[in-house]
Amino acid sequence: MQASIGIGRQLKGRSPTEEYQNKLVQRKKKFVARPKCKNIKNFCPTPTCDTPVLLPEHCCKTCPSQGNLAGLEEDLATKKLEEDDDDRKMKELTVLLTGKALSPPVPTEGAARGYFTYMKRNLHYTIHYVGMERPTWVRFTDENRNILEEHKVAEVNFHIEDSKICGVWRDVPKVYRRKLMKGRLYLLLATNHHPDGLVFGRFVRAKEMRLKQEVYSSVLLPDVSRSRETIGGGGIASVFLGQEKMYLNLEFNGIFTHEDARNVNVLIRLHQETSLGTRELLTETFHILSKVDPDYNAAEIRFDLTKSDESMLSRGKLILEITSADGVRVLSGRILPKTTCNIFQAILTTRASEDRYVSNSHPTGFAVLSPRKDGSVAYSVYTERLSGPLLKLALKTAGPTNADMKTLSEVDKLYIKDSWTNGTFSNVSTGVAESLLLDDLHLHLPTMKHRRELIGRIRQRLYTEAFLNGHPFLLHGNNSATGQVWLYIDSLCHLHYEVFVSGIANDESLPNGRIRRHLVELMEVPINHHKRNKKRVLKKFDGEEVGDILEDLTRNTFANLDYGKSSFLVTTKTQGFGKSVELETQLNGLPVPENCYSHKQKTGSEVYFPGDSKLPVEKDNKCYFEKKEYEDGYQWLSPHDACVMCFCKRGKIECDKTVCPPSECESPITVAKECCPMCPEDNHLLNKDVSKSRGCYFHGDKKFHLAGTRWHPYIPPFGFSRCAICKCDAKSQRVMCRRKKCPVLPCAEDDTYREHPLDCCKKCKKNHRPDQLGDEAHSKNPHEILAAGGCRFRGEIRTNGSEWHPTVQPWGEITCINCHCKDGRARCKRMKCPKLTCVVKVHPENECCSRCLDPSEIKMKGNLHHQGWRRRRRRDREEH
């Protein structure tokens, strides 16, 4: 049973006239209420009695003495729905990262600051680091520094500078979300020289810092030229503007001694940088900290801001200092525009009143803006179907009324090439930076003809992988609708997409309460023109944006995308009217990594890919070899060499030369039509006519083997197995295969190696130490283990070839997942469970896979259930 709560509830306390008018308004706007449902069965409280019962039409079991729990179930459903709604709300967090926060402290002169936005169970982050080497790992830990999640630092792209790290932690587990919101989650940055961590800090909710809208910020570094005591310390300043005021929220550590405990004075100074590069003091103030913490301290400061100071602030000429009372220990940093990985973009359309000048098409475009450290704003604008040359670009904000627009900055010298206009708004004020972050800025592009102009509101979009080396495409429509899609294919062959639309009709314009749903689709145009185009629905959406990641695309799909004829569609499906295409764009020029489709070869009417790939492929993928067609999984002898076996593996041909086992005699001989040599004592079994000699036929390699010969069996798709040896028995003329037994080695696992990569058994190294088998791995330092092919996994060093079960906090060791370290790369795979076709399945506790119930078990469980039901019913009758 599911408990549900509807969204549209009737408001109480209204008069009949108000109720009637409200119904008219609702009927006019055609509001459609969608119920929200939540299964609360798994959230029921645990009964306190030994024999709980499940009452009819209820979700939770109760004790007989408790009575009806309808009110409890309703409250539980309401609470869970509110929690789901709360998970979808945007929450902002920040982290101060310093070396002093680690134990033991790391003496670094750098510091970092993390901006985090939690939205729809995803954690988007920007990490701004100063004065330190580029981090290699971003690790989310608990208070004991147990790694909960770690991200390898990705390479930066064109709109991300070297001092930023951008990423997304997708689908944060609920147990970690609770830690995050309660301030019990920590962040650790590791580098090449500090693999265990260079800087560390705790997550703090933005509301705890009383942030309004941060426009500028500063990362404060220790001034070691005045005192070495501050090394490892640091701070951050969040700056937002008021009416001729500048408000600062400070977080810092590293300027206090062990004697500082309560009522400690700190001095905050604001300097401006002169044209000669010197510092000039503008203002200063003292602040008293009632209690000092060695790792984290916070303060709120306010300064008066003149027009001159505001101009210096917009150009990055103000410097902030936090100084101890004696003036010895100092943290300082330059105040710059807020560092963010979020993208600022606008979809450009014409005014609705100007559409009468458009015949079959209308001007459209999009713009991408990026604020810089010096206060300027870079822009890249793409336009199509313009009725005339562009006059200028202008940044405007709304005035007292929506019709009045105030110009904040403009550029009249434009550089246009291939529909792209690139440049910089250099003369910008603090109002531009503030309006940009508040989504209160508009981009205007007037043209000469008809005095018409393109207009678009600039919106801040949360960073996702689609913006990492992403490729933007303009979505065209036959009406006033337009849009933009960002597409990116990563090295793992996952397709990331982010779609933004404008001008698409909503449900309010539909008659009789019909429902309209928007879809994003991918239409493949195959390389082979004899095949039909194939459409795939990616996702349904409401509103103006949608994004996701596709992980199950085939190699044929990537080949079609690389072909450049496929399309990305935004369609509308209306109840009773069918489906229509609203927006579309041809995906010409989308970069596709080579490993996603390999090298394409055409043979006949099909396409196969000889490169190695782990991507899923079409089920009907066949192989073509020497003008013959082979089904997937078929094997055959090469017509050119009888000692070569070929195999069709998912549309790819793999051929292997016969591997012969070591001979059992000192002087083996080679016999015609045999790939492996044989011993002379078996020569008497040969007939002068080899075709009439005794022997065995082996189905594995589809060959006839002479009596007494030995060979490694061919096991597709792995090739010739060195771990098994087959022999044609001279007496019975039957093939006998045995698995090779490896000897027990008198050395540790780390001192073993394979002489050949395909050898079945390992050997000991010459310099192994048999008297320290168990401690051999500990005698090496981490650098030696990594240099020998070891792996770094969740903060631990694993030797090359080692296997283990991963440990995930707070659940402990996950025995259903096996991890393996090979040649510096750690891979984890979940145990594969067989597909069950039975009706009744059970999942035993502490086991990884489900199993089928035997008929006897099903009958026994059914009888037990029926007997229990009869006992409960009899007990209920006795009570009543």
Side-chain angles (χ1 to χ4, degrees):
M1 178 180 175
Q2 289 186 342
S4 62
I5 294 180
I7 296 176
R9 293 181 174 175
Q10 185 177 359
L11 298 179
K12 298 180 180 180
R14 290 178 174 174
S15 64
T17 304
E18 291 175 332
E19 290 291 343
Y20 177 74
Q21 292 175 350
N22 182 50
K23 290 179 181 179
L24 287 179
V25 172
Q26 290 185 350
R27 193 176 302 166
K28 182 178 180 180
K29 292 187 177 181
K30 297 181 179 62
F31 291 148
V32 179
R34 294 189 178 96
K36 292 184 178 180
C37 299
K38 182 69 176 181
N39 188 353
I40 64 171
K41 181 179 179 180
N42 297 328
F43 304 101
C44 292
T46 304
T48 57
C49 56
D50 297 331
T51 58
V53 295
L54 182 62
L55 299 176
E57 299 184 359
H58 280 268
C59 304
C60 301
K61 290 185 176 181
T62 60
C63 294
S65 60
Q66 281 185 279
N68 195 343
L69 293 182
L72 175 63
E73 292 178 351
E74 181 72 17
D75 294 341
L76 186 60
T78 304
K79 180 180 178 181
K80 294 303 174 183
L81 286 173
E82 290 176 350
E83 288 180 359
D84 288 348
D85 290 340
D86 188 61
D87 274 343
R88 294 183 173 274
K89 294 179 181 178
M90 187 174 71
K91 303 177 183 65
E92 294 187 349
L93 305 100
T94 184
V95 182
L96 166 64
L97 299 161
T98 62
K100 276 189 176 295
L102 286 164
S103 180
V106 177
T108 176
E109 298 181 18
R113 192 259 178 90
Y115 299 92
F116 292 81
T117 302
Y118 177 81
M119 186 71 174
K120 296 181 180 179
R121 300 183 182 178
N122 297 329
L123 191 63
H124 308 255
Y125 60 83
T126 300
I127 300 175
H128 180 207
Y129 61 92
V130 181
M132 51 183 282
E133 63 177 315
R134 182 166 180 80
T136 54
W137 289 96
V138 176
R139 292 174 180 154
F140 301 86
T141 73
D142 58 13
E143 55 270 17
N144 298 321
R145 290 173 59 184
N146 295 317
I147 298 176
L148 309 178
E149 175 81 0
E150 65 177 356
H151 294 172
K152 181 75 173 177
V153 175
E155 296 182 1
V156 296
N157 65 1
F158 68 94
H159 70 273
I160 301 176
E161 301 172 1
D162 294 340
S163 60
K164 286 191 294 190
I165 301 173
C166 306
V168 183
W169 182 3
R170 292 188 174 273
D171 296 325
V172 182
K174 187 174 183 179
V175 62
Y176 298 158
R177 297 200 300 266
R178 290 176 178 174
K179 286 179 175 288
L180 182 68
M181 300 308 164
K182 292 181 179 180
R184 292 162 51 193
L185 206 65
Y186 295 78
L187 191 71
L188 178 75
L189 298 185
T191 64
N192 287 327
H193 293 91
H194 294 83
D196 295 329
L198 178 62
V199 291
F200 185 69
R202 182 177 67 91
F203 281 86
V204 178
R205 290 282 298 271
K207 69 177 184 180
E208 296 176 14
M209 300 174 55
R210 302 179 187 176
L211 284 179
K212 293 183 179 179
Q213 178 56 55
E214 182 179 350
V215 182
Y216 293 87
S217 66
S218 177
V219 177
L220 308 174
L221 302 182
D223 191 347
V224 296
S225 62
R226 300 191 192 183
S227 173
R228 297 287 298 179
E229 296 179 15
T230 57
I231 194 167
I236 54 178
S238 304
V239 182
F240 58 95
L241 306 176
Q243 188 68 25
E244 297 183 352
K245 301 288 183 182
M246 180 172 66
Y247 301 89
L248 295 92
N249 285 328
L250 306 177
E251 301 172 79
F252 56 94
N253 62 25
I255 64 170
F256 304 108
T257 65
H258 297 291
E259 300 176 355
D260 296 330
R262 295 185 178 275
N263 299 325
V264 179
N265 268 330
V266 291
L267 178 62
I268 293 93
R269 290 175 173 173
L270 190 63
H271 299 265
Q272 72 170 3
E273 187 180 45
T274 64
S275 57
L276 300 177
T278 58
R279 295 185 181 183
E280 179 181 331
L281 180 63
L282 291 179
T283 183
E284 63 180 12
T285 184
F286 278 97
H287 182 81
I288 299 177
L289 292 174
S290 58
K291 186 179 180 180
V292 171
D293 186 275
D295 296 331
Y296 180 86
N297 299 276
E300 295 184 6
I301 306 297
R302 183 183 66 184
F303 287 125
D304 293 331
L305 191 68
T306 64
K307 291 293 184 182
S308 175
D309 298 338
E310 186 176 337
S311 176
M312 300 294 287
L313 176 64
S314 64
R315 291 183 288 139
K317 298 295 184 180
L318 295 187
I319 300 170
L320 182 67
E321 279 189 1
I322 302 178
T323 309
S324 60
D326 55 9
V328 176
R329 294 169 297 281
V330 179
L331 303 174
S332 65
R334 188 181 299 272
I335 301 178
L336 299 171
K338 178 183 176 181
T339 303
T340 179
C341 295
N342 296 343
I343 192 170
F344 298 87
Q345 68 171 29
I347 298 176
L348 304 174
T349 58
T350 56
R351 296 179 187 270
S353 59
E354 295 175 343
D355 287 342
R356 62 180 182 273
Y357 295 108
V358 185
S359 55
N360 296 324
S361 62
H362 62 282
T364 58
F366 62 82
V368 180
L369 293 90
S370 177
R372 293 181 174 178
K373 289 184 178 181
D374 59 358
S376 61
V377 178
Y379 61 83
S380 295
V381 181
Y382 181 81
T383 53
E384 288 187 3
R385 304 173 182 175
L386 291 179
S387 58
L390 290 176
L391 290 177
K392 61 182 178 180
L393 269 68
L395 293 177
K396 298 184 179 182
T397 185
T401 61
N402 292 331
D404 300 331
M405 301 294 289
K406 179 182 178 182
T407 301
L408 300 181
S409 183
E410 62 182 18
V411 176
D412 52 7
K413 294 182 179 180
L414 305 178
Y415 301 93
I416 305 174
K417 184 178 180 180
D418 298 331
S419 300
W420 283 94
T421 305
N422 301 315
T424 304
F425 290 99
S426 55
N427 298 322
V428 297
S429 62
T430 55
V432 171
E434 189 172 9
S435 299
L436 190 66
L437 293 170
L438 290 172
D439 291 349
D440 194 26
L441 209 59
H442 296 75
L443 182 65
H444 288 237
L445 287 78
T447 59
M448 292 182 179
K449 192 173 182 180
H450 302 303
R451 297 286 183 182
R452 304 176 67 247
E453 63 180 358
L454 286 171
I455 302 175
R457 184 176 181 179
I458 303 171
R459 296 182 181 271
Q460 182 178 187
R461 308 294 186 181
L462 290 177
Y463 171 84
T464 65
E465 296 89 342
F467 303 138
L468 181 66
N469 293 323
H471 197 92
F473 292 91
L474 180 64
L475 293 168
H476 306 90
N478 295 325
N479 47 28
S480 60
T482 187
Q484 180 189 11
V485 56
W486 288 80
L487 295 173
Y488 167 57
I489 302 173
D490 60 22
S491 59
L492 298 177
C493 302
H494 298 164
L495 176 64
H496 306 254
Y497 66 88
E498 294 288 338
V499 182
F500 306 96
V501 297
S502 176
I504 293 183
N506 52 27
D507 291 344
E508 294 183 6
S509 59
L510 290 178
N512 301 326
R514 288 191 173 95
I515 298 176
R516 175 187 283 125
R517 185 59 59 89
H518 304 305
L519 314 171
V520 286
E521 302 183 27
L522 181 64
M523 185 175 71
E524 295 182 44
V525 179
I527 301 175
N528 191 336
H529 298 289
H530 299 288
K531 291 188 175 182
R532 295 181 178 179
N533 297 344
K534 184 166 58 176
K535 280 187 180 182
R536 174 178 176 176
V537 176
L538 305 185
K539 202 167 188 179
K540 302 176 183 179
F541 74 100
D542 295 315
E544 296 184 345
E545 61 181 282
V546 63
D548 203 354
I549 302 176
L550 292 179
E551 300 181 0
D552 58 346
L553 296 181
T554 65
R555 288 180 297 169
N556 286 346
T557 298
F558 285 113
N560 295 334
L561 291 176
D562 185 63
Y563 183 49
K565 299 296 183 180
S566 300
S567 299
F568 197 93
L569 311 176
V570 176
T571 59
T572 297
K573 191 173 183 180
T574 306
Q575 183 180 1
F577 291 93
K579 188 166 64 174
S580 61
V581 177
E582 296 276 356
L583 300 167
E584 65 178 318
T585 184
Q586 184 173 322
L587 304 181
N588 185 15
L590 175 65
V592 181
E594 292 185 3
N595 63 295
C596 296
Y597 62 92
S598 297
H599 178 65
K600 302 187 293 294
Q601 292 186 7
K602 282 191 177 182
T603 307
S605 61
E606 298 288 334
V607 178
Y608 76 94
F609 306 84
D612 186 19
S613 176
K614 297 181 180 179
L615 294 174
V617 295
E618 309 294 346
K619 293 183 179 180
D620 58 350
N621 223 347
K622 302 178 181 180
C623 298
Y624 298 86
F625 186 81
E626 297 291 337
K627 298 183 180 180
K628 290 185 178 180
E629 178 181 292
Y630 297 94
E631 295 290 338
D632 183 28
Y634 190 81
Q635 65 189 65
W636 66 94
L637 278 172
S638 172
H640 307 292
D641 190 345
C643 295
V644 174
M645 286 293 298
C646 295
F647 176 71
C648 180
K649 180 182 177 182
R650 298 184 302 176
K652 179 185 67 174
I653 299 174
E654 293 184 356
C655 295
D656 296 300
K657 193 171 182 63
T658 301
V659 179
C660 296
S663 178
E664 294 179 320
C665 54
E666 295 182 358
S667 302
I669 61 175
T670 302
V671 182
K673 295 186 178 181
E674 277 294 321
C675 299
C676 295
M678 58 186 304
C679 293
E681 54 266 24
D682 295 326
N683 194 23
H684 66 279
L685 299 173
L686 293 176
N687 193 297
K688 292 183 179 180
D689 186 0
V690 179
S691 62
K692 298 181 181 180
S693 299
R694 299 170 59 189
C696 314
Y697 181 80
F698 184 53
H699 291 276
D701 54 12
K702 303 184 185 302
K703 289 177 60 177
F704 179 83
H705 294 269
L706 294 175
T709 55
R710 301 166 65 249
W711 67 94
H712 289 305
Y714 183 76
I715 304 176
F718 308 103
F720 290 95
S721 172
R722 295 173 182 262
C723 297
I725 297 178
C726 295
K727 183 176 181 178
C728 178
D729 186 67
K731 296 181 180 180
S732 63
Q733 297 185 30
R734 295 177 61 184
V735 176
M736 301 176 65
C737 296
R738 293 182 179 180
R739 183 173 179 83
K740 186 177 180 180
K741 292 184 179 181
C742 297
V744 179
L745 300 178
C747 56
E749 178 68 20
D750 291 345
D751 285 332
T752 61
Y753 74 102
R754 298 184 192 274
E755 188 175 4
H756 189 276
L758 298 179
D759 283 347
C760 181
C761 299
K762 295 182 179 180
K763 297 181 178 180
C764 287
K765 298 178 181 178
K766 294 182 179 180
N767 299 325
H768 72 274
R769 299 171 61 183
D771 56 332
Q772 294 185 2
L773 300 183
D775 298 331
E776 182 67 20
H778 298 286
S779 63
K780 294 183 179 181
N781 60 46
H783 296 287
E784 292 175 341
I785 297 176
L786 293 175
C791 307
R792 187 185 302 278
F793 182 81
R794 302 182 74 87
E796 298 181 0
I797 304 298
R798 300 284 181 173
T799 57
N800 191 12
S802 60
E803 296 183 357
W804 68 94
H805 297 301
T807 300
V808 179
Q809 298 293 339
W811 298 282
E813 187 179 65
I814 308 299
T815 57
C816 297
I817 298 178
N818 295 321
C819 297
H820 177 71
C821 174
K822 184 177 180 181
D823 300 331
R825 187 171 183 179
R827 292 184 177 180
C828 296
K829 292 184 179 179
R830 183 176 293 276
M831 182 184 298
K832 290 186 178 180
C833 297
K835 292 184 178 180
L836 304 177
T837 58
C838 54
V839 178
V840 182
K841 306 171 187 176
V842 293
H843 195 131
E845 191 176 358
N846 299 326
E847 292 188 17
C848 300
C849 299
S850 301
R851 66 177 179 87
C852 293
L853 277 181
D854 294 333
S856 59
E857 293 181 288
I858 297 175
K859 186 176 181 180
M860 181 180 67
K861 286 181 177 288
N863 291 336
L864 290 175
H865 178 75
H866 182 69
Q867 293 172 9
W869 176 78
R870 293 181 63 183
R871 283 196 302 267
R872 289 194 299 269
R873 188 175 180 183
R874 189 184 305 115
R875 186 170 55 249
D876 293 342
R877 287 177 178 175
E878 293 175 356
E879 290 177 357
H880 294 287

